[in-house]
Amino acid sequence: MPRLLFCKTGDAVWMSHLDLMRVFQRSFKRAALPLTHTKGFNPRPSVSIALPLSVGVESVCELLDFDLEGEKIPCEEIKERLNGALVSGVRVLDCYEGGRKLRELALLSCVVTLEYDAGVSEGTVERLSGLFARESLVVEKKGKNGVTEQDIIPMIRSLCVVPVDGNTLELQAFICCQNPSLNPMQLAAAIERYLPDCKPDFVKCRRVDIYDNDEKCFR
């Protein structure tokens, strides 16, 4: 089954996962790339995204698997035709065959940007570094079954706090993204819960790349 590597940036970050799926389904149709459909009472187009993105999160490393009807079309042509049909902010970076099994996907590198309107207070970098160096850090996680408590420390492989300018810090993190998974925005939630005086005025998140459990780039 062919696979796309795509990015979701700009205003497109405000699209929900379901809206993004619809965008791709319609784009395949506009590009005259007929998708196969699942079998059964309610057939659906054969497209699936590996790690659904939260609304507002930017990414340059998203994966989408799909299957086409009819004669095989070269991957480069699929990429070009889709990019001519997709909306602004969503772009195919690569199209290829022979992608690895998704169950081997384990880790994610991300950047969480913390912006402070009044500037970064003295000692904030050290305090945030100390927070994420704790042996345990429990935050709330919202799911289908309600709100639960989750210790995020076991899911952080590495994290460093990097000053960008007088008003901005970055959390550059390497975290688990499957079995178990950590939403990068929970890093900001931990700051709000345990260091409320270090809470940023604005937070944004960017997925940078994905890896297997041996920290090899996953495709």
Side-chain angles (χ1 to χ4, degrees):
M1 182 177 287
R3 176 171 291 170
L4 302 179
L5 172 69
F6 71 94
C7 63
K8 183 185 177 190
T9 60
D11 290 341
V13 302
W14 304 112
M15 273 193 288
S16 70
H17 175 66
L18 290 178
D19 286 338
L20 181 62
M21 291 289 285
R22 295 187 190 102
V23 163
F24 268 106
Q25 290 167 10
R26 292 167 183 166
S27 296
F28 273 100
K29 189 172 184 179
R30 284 196 295 270
L33 298 168
L35 291 166
T36 61
H37 286 69
T38 59
K39 306 295 182 182
F41 183 76
N42 185 25
R44 297 180 180 181
S46 298
V47 291
S48 62
I49 294 175
L51 298 174
L53 267 174
S54 299
V55 173
V57 176
E58 186 178 66
S59 178
V60 293
C61 60
E62 296 303 289
L63 298 181
L64 179 143
D65 289 341
F66 65 97
D67 194 25
L68 298 179
E69 295 180 344
E71 295 182 4
K72 187 174 181 179
I73 300 174
C75 285
E76 189 61 29
E77 183 178 341
I78 293 173
K79 172 185 171 181
E80 292 178 3
R81 286 162 66 170
L82 279 176
N83 279 335
L86 283 164
V87 300
S88 175
V90 181
R91 184 169 181 81
V92 177
L93 304 175
D94 197 8
C95 177
Y96 56 94
E97 299 270 4
R100 297 177 61 180
K101 295 178 180 178
L102 291 179
R103 66 172 178 265
E104 298 173 4
L105 174 56
L107 301 169
L108 166 72
S109 62
C110 61
V111 175
V112 179
T113 302
L114 313 176
E115 297 182 1
Y116 297 84
D117 291 343
V120 179
S121 300
E122 185 177 353
T124 298
V125 172
E126 292 75 18
R127 294 182 69 193
L128 294 183
S129 298
L131 176 69
F132 293 107
R134 294 185 182 183
E135 292 185 1
S136 177
L137 201 59
V138 177
V139 298
E140 290 186 346
K141 180 181 181 181
K142 295 179 181 179
K144 295 179 181 179
N145 299 320
V147 178
T148 58
E149 296 274 291
Q150 181 183 46
D151 184 1
I152 65 174
I153 290 298
M155 293 177 282
I156 301 175
R157 284 283 183 98
S158 64
L159 185 149
C160 59
V161 184
V162 180
V164 177
D165 54 43
N167 295 82
T168 310
L169 300 176
E170 286 184 350
L171 306 180
Q172 298 178 0
F174 205 49
I175 62 176
C176 296
C177 63
Q178 274 203 137
N179 305 315
S181 64
L182 173 61
N183 184 333
M185 293 301 286
Q186 286 181 282
L187 302 175
I191 296 172
E192 182 175 357
R193 181 169 183 172
Y194 292 96
L195 296 175
D197 54 331
C198 293
K199 176 186 173 183
D201 296 290
F202 183 73
V203 179
K204 59 184 178 182
C205 179
R206 178 184 179 92
R207 287 180 178 176
V208 178
D209 217 334
I210 47 180
Y211 303 85
D212 63 17
N213 209 39
D214 296 323
E215 302 186 8
K216 295 180 180 177
C217 188
F218 183 92
R219 292 293 182 267

